[in-house]
Amino acid sequence: MTDNAASEPPDQSDSSEPMAEAFTYNGGRVDPGESANIRYGISETYLGDPVRIPVTVINGEQPGPTVFLSAAAHGDELNGIEVVREVAHDWDHSILHGTLVCLPVMNVPGFLAQERYLPIYDRDLNRSFPGREGSTSARRMAHQIYTNFIEPCDIGLDFHTSTRGRTNMIHVRANMERSNVARLAKAFSSNVIIAGEGPSGTLRREATEAGIPTITIEMGEAHRFQRRLIDQALTGVASVLAEFGLHRDSSVHWPGWRTVIDDDNEKTWLRADAGGIVDMKRGRGALVEEGEVICTITNPFKEEEDIVTVEAPFTGLIVGVLENPVVYPGNPLCHLVGLSPDTLTALERERLTERSRSELRRND
């Protein structure tokens, strides 16, 4: 046996070259060059039936980062579901360098009920990470998701929408004080980044603090697919995969202009000072001047003396806005962020170009 072993040719492989590795989770593995659609049990119903979340893992033949894409931590937030599904099942990953872990519906009970929270004592799954065994139902579910499909990753994209009755323009929320998170946030190529670490228990904050740079992408409103926003988000995902080397034939996308809002003086929620019916004058993504009327609030009789006018306290961009036209005093009306002079100039130039193109199309 010694002579036979000595006669074998030496190993010509370069041991310094990194090798692609299997993605493993409790109960299974996905080897390099393979993909798997998994229904993974995270809890049980009142009848003892399993609660399973859908997960698609695509493991490239070539080594690279492991990236998770998650959506529907709030069960009625649907836009991100379509983003994650299209990345997982419609894109060509034949030359993928690394691994994609796609979680299109994390809050399955909420999704089935079309409710924001888990319909189990009204718990918020996105305040329950990283979760804990032996704790509440929400924390147990979060623990199963986190330990199996988040902890093995290097970076993460978590997709959300506004709550029902409101809508957001697409933007990123990220802890910009961390350089690795800032790189990820800028790679996603949205026009607006709102800086901050996020509330305790959110997936992006807990993953980031555990060394997995993660950003939240806010886009649109609950209970619907909004194709334009979904396409914008897909452009952002492609840009991230290019930046981090998973799709090496793709390029990082520059959005044309970008503002990072990291000062509380640069952002504000305008809130109603009176109850009534809202007539919103400006919508999501609108640029408003200081003193410009954003909306009015009236009673059912539209009596002139009772009309409340809401004006912009500074020149800025409406990132989020009320869709449900009724309010109590204190309810949010819109989320307004300020812009630097350079950013304002770039935005105005972009809008002027868009109007010119629209006019040309109409003339054709």
Side-chain angles (χ1 to χ4, degrees):
M1 290 179 66
T2 304
D3 289 342
N4 289 340
S7 65
E8 291 177 358
D11 185 2
Q12 299 295 321
S13 64
D14 183 354
S15 60
S16 65
E17 284 289 320
M19 302 291 289
E21 297 179 355
F23 179 90
T24 60
Y25 58 94
N26 185 19
R29 61 184 282 147
V30 183
D31 290 313
E34 296 183 353
S35 62
N37 293 323
I38 305 156
R39 293 185 181 272
Y40 193 82
I42 62 169
S43 188
E44 295 178 351
T45 70
Y46 291 132
L47 296 175
D49 298 324
V51 174
R52 298 189 177 100
I53 64 167
V55 185
T56 298
V57 178
I58 303 141
N59 196 350
E61 291 185 355
Q62 302 301 319
T66 300
V67 181
F68 77 81
L69 294 86
S70 58
H74 296 130
D76 59 359
E77 297 181 357
L78 306 185
N79 277 326
I81 295 175
E82 189 60 13
V83 174
V84 177
R85 289 200 318 157
E86 291 193 24
V87 171
H89 303 293
D90 294 348
W91 286 14
D92 179 9
H93 298 297
S94 59
I95 55 172
L96 179 69
H97 290 250
T99 304
L100 297 177
V101 180
C102 300
L103 301 113
V105 183
M106 289 196 295
N107 183 351
V108 166
F111 175 74
L112 293 175
Q114 277 302 280
E115 296 178 1
R116 179 176 176 84
Y117 301 126
L118 287 162
I120 307 163
Y121 306 117
D122 214 25
R123 301 279 186 174
D124 189 343
L125 183 63
N126 201 38
R127 295 297 185 273
S128 305
F129 289 101
R132 188 169 71 249
E133 288 185 303
S135 184
T136 65
S137 55
R139 289 186 181 276
R140 291 178 189 225
M141 291 181 190
H143 173 77
Q144 290 293 329
I145 295 169
Y146 191 87
T147 55
N148 284 284
F149 302 109
I150 305 301
E151 276 188 340
C153 296
D154 299 302
I155 58 177
L157 306 175
D158 187 30
F159 293 90
H160 288 261
T161 76
S162 189
T163 188
R164 67 181 66 187
R166 299 203 296 266
T167 186
N168 288 323
M169 67 178 290
I170 191 167
H171 67 278
V172 164
R173 298 185 179 222
N175 186 346
M176 299 299 283
E177 293 183 357
R178 296 177 181 255
S179 59
N180 51 6
V181 179
R183 177 188 175 196
L184 175 59
K186 291 177 180 177
F188 189 80
S189 78
S190 68
N191 294 120
V192 176
I193 299 172
I194 296 180
E197 62 181 357
S200 177
T202 56
L203 179 54
R204 76 168 170 101
R205 174 169 173 170
E206 301 302 332
T208 294
E209 290 185 352
I212 308 160
T214 299
I215 61 174
T216 292
I217 299 95
E218 294 279 356
M219 47 186 296
E221 59 190 286
H223 290 293
R224 66 196 65 217
F225 284 164
Q226 294 168 287
R227 190 68 241 177
R228 182 179 177 187
L229 295 175
I230 290 167
D231 288 341
Q232 286 180 290
L234 289 168
T235 297
V237 174
S239 183
V240 167
L241 299 189
E243 169 69 18
F244 288 88
L246 286 91
H247 281 184
R248 299 189 177 181
D249 291 341
S250 300
S251 58
V252 179
H253 181 260
W254 166 244
W257 60 272
R258 175 189 293 131
T259 185
V260 178
I261 308 300
D262 56 9
D263 186 339
D264 285 341
N265 294 326
E266 295 177 325
K267 59 187 177 183
T268 186
W269 273 100
L270 298 184
R271 294 183 177 273
D273 289 330
I277 300 170
V278 180
D279 181 8
M280 192 65 65
K281 307 295 185 182
R282 304 304 305 272
R284 179 190 71 211
L287 178 64
V288 294
E289 301 287 338
E290 180 178 352
E292 184 176 345
V293 175
I294 293 177
C295 68
T296 59
I297 304 172
T298 62
N299 63 29
F301 305 109
K302 287 193 170 183
E303 294 168 337
E304 286 288 335
E305 63 272 16
D306 292 329
I307 293 176
V308 176
T309 300
V310 180
E311 299 178 349
F314 53 81
T315 297
L317 186 70
I318 297 179
V319 172
V321 69
L322 182 75
E323 291 279 286
N324 184 351
V326 294
V327 291
Y328 277 111
N331 285 167
L333 296 167
C334 74
H335 190 192
L336 184 67
V337 302
L339 302 174
S340 70
D342 288 345
T343 302
L344 185 59
T345 299
L347 172 58
E348 289 172 338
R349 187 184 304 119
E350 177 186 85
R351 300 279 167 95
L352 180 61
T353 301
E354 289 175 354
R355 283 195 294 271
S356 297
R357 288 173 178 168
S358 296
E359 289 173 3
L360 285 173
R361 285 193 292 269
R362 284 198 298 270
N363 292 334
D364 289 344

